[in-house]
Amino acid sequence: MEQSRKGAPLLAYNSFGIEAYAEDLMHIRQAEQLAAYHPGMPFRILGGGTNILIASNLQGAVLRMEIDGIEVLEDNAQGVWVRAGAGQVWHGLVEWALERDLGGIENLSLIPGTVGAAPVQNIGAYGVELSEVFAWAEVWDLEMRSIRKVKGEEAGFGYRDSHFKGAWKGRYIITHVVLHLRRNARPNTSYTVVREALEKKGIGDPSIRDVSEAIVEIRKTKLPDPSALGNAGSFFKNCSVDARRYSELKLRFPGMPAFQQPDGSFKIPSGWLIESCGWKGKQQGRVACYAKQALVLVNCGGATGLEILEFAGEVARTVEDTYGLLLEPEVNIWEDN
Ligand SMILES: Cc1cc2nc3c(=O)[nH]c(=O)nc-3n(C[C@H](O)[C@H](O)[C@H](O)COP(=O)(O)OP(=O)(O)OC[C@H]3O[C@@H](n4cnc5c(N)ncnc54)[C@H](O)[C@@H]3O)c2cc1C
């Protein structure tokens, strides 16, 4: 009785381990089911729930994308075009590609979540972003009430960003993603930690499988497993500043690390900013800043989404007071009044 009054429980569907309810939870296994939804209706799209923070009970339905399947669309000298359902587990697709010696996504090994959510924030890790292999997405267009293709060049991909999470939010639901993978791909070992891990194993000329395994091992030592400690990976994006701002900051804070971007801007690691403000490993109530990686906020057990949001707000305020830099959440905040 109690459960039906509250609605559908979402505890099992978000990696922060937040106990919250939606009015309804629908399992979307075929794109045709989406025809029942219209713009303006209260609903949200859910993949694996590994990049959301649910800060209240939710009005309307949560549509959990469970369209699966992986198929080869084309295989020729230019590469292999692979189509996967939005509900497919991302790392499952990486494994599928490794088994067939198809390169391009091995650096994105073990990123939690689904294939359908991968373009939303243009997932990236260890020097590779999804946009580099993204051919197109098939989306249900809620306004036109039909399926259309969105190609890579239209998607507005940027650092942890795309039109899917910006201008197109609420318009397109991704049903399938097509990736352009390659045989005999040269793995990207541009990240020092990856090269060092391979060297430690005595691997001089790594295969894509070697790179994937090295990255899986690195990730397991650095990031908390959500099934043991609720979290959504990096809570904040890294900070981006223009060259003038960076030189002002560098004068005031000589130890501040930064990475120049191809467009001349500088990326400042938010984890460093947070750590230098003394947050790393700090716990307040049921929320903490992860001891091994300050960018990750963790639910120490039973925290509400609001508690995590308040903790994040305090972290961001300290960074702003110290450096004048605004931390932008990478995690999607789901909150209704
Ligand atoms: C331990 C840990 C490590 C992580 N490491 C990384 C990392 O290295 N790099 C990285 O980029 N991310 C990382 N993340 C974040 C997360 O894994 C990715 O953002 C992932 O793509 C989220 O997938 P999901 O299916 O769980 O999405 P969800 O959390 O379910 O949804 C995320 C957003 O996408 C929207 N969405 C989901 N599916 C669809 C769809 N089919 N159509 C339209 N919109 C949709 C949702 O509405 C929501 O706004 C990490 C998370 C954790 C917990």
Side-chain angles (χ1 to χ4, degrees), residues 45 47-51 112-114 117 121 123-124 160 174 219 231-233 332:
I45 308 300
T50 67
N51 200 24
T114 57
Q121 76 153 3
I123 57 168
R160 299 296 185 274
I174 298 168
R219 292 183 69 97
N231 77 94
N332 299 275

